[in-house]
Amino acid sequence: MYVRYEHNNNTYEGYMKDGLVTKLEGSMFENPELSDETVPASSVTLLPPCQPTKVVCVGLNYLDHAKEMNEALPEAPLLFLKPPTTVIAHEDDIVAPSNTGRLDHEGELAIVIGKKAKNISANEAEGAIFGFTCANDFTARAIQLSDKQWTRGKSFDTFCPLGPGIVSDINHKDAKIQLTVNGEVRQSSNINMFIFGVNEIVSYVSKCMTLLPGDVILTGTPHGVGPVNSGDVMSVTIDGIGTLTNALKIA
């Protein structure tokens, strides 16, 4: 998988496989070459796998979650945004202010854009996608409900863990997604429950805003969303990608 990492106080992009990280020559989005520089994965600190200009999110995109929320199925993807300052890496802490009330986990598949895309069709979307990673659309649920819209409750710093890295391809029509809290399974589904598929989502977003390399689209969360408390450890696992783990701290 493609990663961004810190080693000896320097930041690099690399490719991680079999416990080793190989430094890339050039940006991961521009057909990079593998260098001769390799270090053990245990010796690096993983950073957010990309640096998006925006994180576009899709609400109510699983059949089981729409049923859970007692919501009618949307006729088109429901979009909202998280700012780039929400993005953190695998094993970074989610830090929530003490006055935010209920806090919820939301495990999701994230699409990472690899090429500039505007007004593309669903058939063209495949060419704009660089790869996929795990995400946690962490949410201050009490604020979301009190505001009656989603921006503030979704947008606190650290509220968008991504990682551990980016894989170039998965079976995005059939892959298990699971979220655990302190080892207990809270969400378990399959992305074959999507209401709107990956290519359809990318096309739809591109007809609203220009997508740039490194931008991220979160594809929605399955049933089982629920509250977490300070000290809880959340892990999102998706077939073909791996596991993203983050703990919650209350500031």
Side-chain angles (χ1 to χ4, degrees):
M1 67 172 59
Y2 292 93
V3 295
R4 292 178 60 251
Y5 64 99
E6 186 178 277
H7 184 65
N8 291 336
N9 296 317
N10 292 307
T11 298
Y12 305 101
E13 293 185 356
Y15 191 81
M16 185 165 66
K17 183 179 180 181
D18 298 331
L20 294 175
V21 179
T22 303
K23 179 184 170 185
L24 297 180
E25 297 287 358
S27 166
M28 67 175 73
F29 301 117
E30 297 174 356
N31 299 315
E33 299 289 334
L34 294 176
S35 75
D36 295 328
E37 298 181 40
T38 300
V39 295
S42 59
S43 70
V44 310
T45 300
L46 291 179
L47 302 173
C50 56
Q51 297 175 291
T53 68
K54 52 191 167 291
V55 179
V56 187
C57 308
V58 180
L60 288 176
N61 194 38
Y62 279 79
L63 293 168
D64 51 7
H65 183 48
K67 182 178 180 181
E68 172 187 46
M69 301 298 287
N70 198 29
E71 296 276 1
L73 298 186
E75 296 181 1
L78 302 173
L79 303 184
F80 60 95
L81 295 172
K82 283 178 175 276
T85 48
T86 60
V87 174
I88 59 172
H90 172 62
E91 295 188 339
D92 285 348
D93 289 333
I94 300 170
V95 181
S98 59
N99 60 349
T100 45
R102 174 173 163 166
L103 299 164
D104 281 11
H105 59 74
E106 295 191 16
E108 307 202 8
L109 172 71
I111 303 165
V112 180
I113 299 299
K115 295 179 180 178
K116 184 177 179 180
K118 177 65 177 176
N119 290 327
I120 61 173
S121 68
N123 288 336
E124 295 169 321
E126 201 81 40
I129 297 171
F130 177 74
F132 303 88
T133 192
C134 302
N136 186 348
D137 177 19
F138 200 74
T139 303
R141 189 72 70 203
I143 289 176
Q144 179 190 5
L145 295 175
S146 68
D147 285 359
K148 302 188 187 308
Q149 55 85 35
W150 297 6
T151 301
R152 190 164 66 103
K154 299 279 190 175
S155 295
F156 287 89
D157 292 351
T158 74
F159 273 29
C160 188
L162 297 174
I166 304 167
V167 299
S168 57
D169 193 27
I170 63 168
N171 183 352
H172 56 76
K173 295 182 180 179
D174 183 14
K176 183 179 178 181
I177 178 171
Q178 178 177 279
L179 181 141
T180 64
V181 177
N182 303 326
E184 175 190 352
V185 176
R186 295 281 189 88
Q187 293 182 273
S188 184
S189 189
N190 192 299
I191 60 178
N192 62 20
M193 298 287 288
F194 276 178
I195 298 169
F196 304 103
V198 164
N199 293 346
E200 187 177 3
I201 289 169
V202 173
S203 170
Y204 186 83
V205 175
S206 80
K207 293 174 181 177
C208 171
M209 63 192 82
T210 301
L211 293 166
L212 301 174
D215 281 351
V216 170
I217 303 175
L218 305 191
T219 55
T221 196
H223 73 285
V225 297
V228 285
N229 301 303
S230 184
D232 285 348
V233 177
M234 293 154 280
S235 293
V236 181
T237 302
I238 300 176
D239 284 350
I241 300 176
T243 300
L244 165 71
T245 297
N246 304 88
L248 171 63
K249 286 189 176 181
I250 305 296

